[in-house]
Amino acid sequence: MAALLYAGPTAALSHRTAAELWGMRPEASGPVHVTVPYHCSAISQSPLVVVHRSRAFRYIAVDGRMPLTSRADTAIDLAVDETTAPDAQRTLIELVTSQRVAEEQVRTRLAQRPPRRYRRALEQAMYRVETGVRSMLEELHAVDVEIAHGLPTAHRQSPVRVDGRTLFEDAVYDNVGIPLTVRLDGSTHLTAEVALRDRRRDNTAELAGRSRLVFGWAELSSDPCAAAAEIAAVLYRHGWQGPPQRCPKCPGQRS
């Protein structure tokens, strides 16, 4: 409240501070972030208050016990504050796929108030969400494994019938004529119910003559190149012509 009083009657809490109030980020020590209209005279007071300016201010704030930026605008601000475009994409995808902010709201706000930087990167992030990326693990597979290594783009969230139920596979390559399923196991796959479901899904795939590869966060975050090599090996076995490409992280490519 003190930060809002300092910044003026039109100020709104924003960025990390608004994210904490919306439940997008845990509470943490640090400066209070406020956004004001572009021509407001308030300036940052380190280390207590960080003042941001916006030409679209009248569209981004919502009323509350204390005025703050909307969920969608807060998510976009967090992404734009990242130091690189890939980090901006990952932040936006994480916020949308974790259901802390609605996909359609972010898409609308990106059109109404295009960000000052990373615009194309954030639009690509939303495109990946719209085409099936549903977690940060799936984002790693799509970007650091497939795109970075020139692999075919899998079809995501593909339905499959298992024991009379419809389940959804994270990534399949049937769209390029190859019966390969890639499953991405997050923390929920440690529960007994999900583990049983995965075993039944594996058996169903085997009976159908499908190849399967399974990766978790540890593998894809630490060595996406190895995962890409394994996927490429199975693709080649089924007739893919390739070739894959080496990314800057691949062994022998690092400077």
Side-chain angles (χ1 to χ4, degrees), residues 14-115:
S14 64
H15 295 75
R16 174 75 195 213
T17 305
E20 293 175 10
L21 293 174
W22 285 121
M24 299 179 190
R25 292 289 185 264
E27 292 187 10
S29 60
V32 176
H33 291 260
V34 297
T35 292
V36 298
Y38 190 74
H39 296 295
C40 178
S41 61
I43 60 174
S44 297
Q45 298 293 325
S46 180
L48 300 177
V49 181
V50 177
V51 176
H52 306 266
R53 287 177 165 72
S54 173
R55 288 187 170 90
F57 180 84
R58 60 177 174 166
Y59 302 110
I60 66 176
V62 296
D63 293 329
R65 185 173 63 88
M66 292 183 286
L68 74 167
T69 52
S70 72
R71 282 181 177 271
D73 289 297
T74 300
I76 293 169
D77 288 339
L78 290 178
V80 171
D81 262 7
E82 294 288 0
T83 55
T84 68
D87 286 340
Q89 289 181 328
R90 291 190 176 105
T91 291
L92 191 59
I93 288 173
E94 181 265 320
L95 291 170
V96 173
T97 58
S98 65
Q99 300 182 344
R100 291 183 175 90
V101 59
E103 174 184 333
E104 62 273 12
Q105 293 175 0
V106 173
R107 175 60 79 181
T108 297
R109 300 305 287 135
L110 284 174
Q112 292 174 339
R113 51 156 294 205

Side-chain angles (χ1 to χ4, degrees), residues 138-208:
E138 293 181 33
E139 161 75 355
L140 277 176
H141 174 255
V143 178
D144 290 10
V145 175
E146 285 186 345
I147 295 175
H149 296 92
L151 299 180
T153 299
H155 182 265
R156 307 189 194 286
Q157 304 305 317
S158 180
V160 60
R161 294 290 290 177
V162 178
D163 297 336
R165 298 172 56 194
T166 299
L167 303 178
F168 293 88
E169 297 289 13
D170 297 312
V172 301
Y173 291 87
D174 300 65
N175 54 311
V176 292
I178 296 173
L180 167 62
T181 297
V182 172
R183 193 194 321 139
L184 305 169
D185 283 0
S187 58
T188 60
H189 290 259
L190 299 177
T191 66
E193 179 183 356
V194 177
L196 173 60
R197 183 195 68 190
D198 288 343
R199 291 195 298 272
R200 294 300 305 145
R201 185 161 53 178
D202 271 349
N203 290 356
T204 299
E206 177 64 30
L207 291 170

